[in-house]
Amino acid sequence: MAKSFLFILNPASGGKEDRRQIIKKLEEGLPGVDLIVRETSGRDDLSMIQKEAGRKHWDALLVGGGDGTINLVAPVIIGHQLPLGIIPLGSANGLAACLGIPEVD
């Protein structure tokens, strides 16, 4: 059975790279994983993330954005016992830097 990862992507974060390329890199780097992408819009994002997180059993939750996007998603996973992957796409990525997570190339 394939693993399912929910990827919450902030398309406005950082603006460094084409988001389609990031999704493509993830899909290539995670063979056999069903990657479901949901983009934030700035409108009712918390509700959308809560709904998606509870929609099915996810094997992991990935967040593509900056500190604000991570801050938005983090409270949702409390109680879900989901591994959280951070793809730093913000302008400063303070949390990712503190955790030693490299910038996206």
Side-chain angles (χ1 to χ4, degrees):
M1 178 184 274
K3 292 192 180 274
S4 294
F5 288 9
L6 175 60
F7 180 34
I8 303 297
L9 175 64
N10 181 346
S13 187
K16 292 184 227 173
E17 186 173 347
D18 181 353
R19 299 312 189 222
R20 292 179 306 252
Q21 286 298 104
I22 291 165
I23 294 167
K24 182 179 175 186
K25 285 180 185 180
L26 277 174
E27 289 172 339
E28 290 171 354
L30 299 168
V33 170
D34 185 18
L35 185 68
I36 305 302
V37 180
R38 296 292 181 258
E39 292 187 359
T40 60
S41 66
R43 295 180 311 275
D44 205 21
D45 290 326
L46 181 59
S47 176
M48 178 272 293
I49 295 165
Q50 288 171 329
K51 180 179 174 183
E52 287 297 329
R55 186 171 65 89
K56 65 182 268 184
H57 171 76
W58 299 102
D59 294 294
L61 178 76
L62 305 178
V63 181
D67 291 352
T69 309
I70 296 163
N71 190 46
L72 177 68
V73 171
V76 174
I77 65 168
I78 294 172
H80 285 275
Q81 297 184 352
L82 278 173
L84 176 66
I86 298 172
I87 291 80
L89 300 174
S91 54
N93 303 308
L95 177 63
C98 287
L99 293 173
I101 300 171
E103 294 282 328
V104 174
D105 296 336

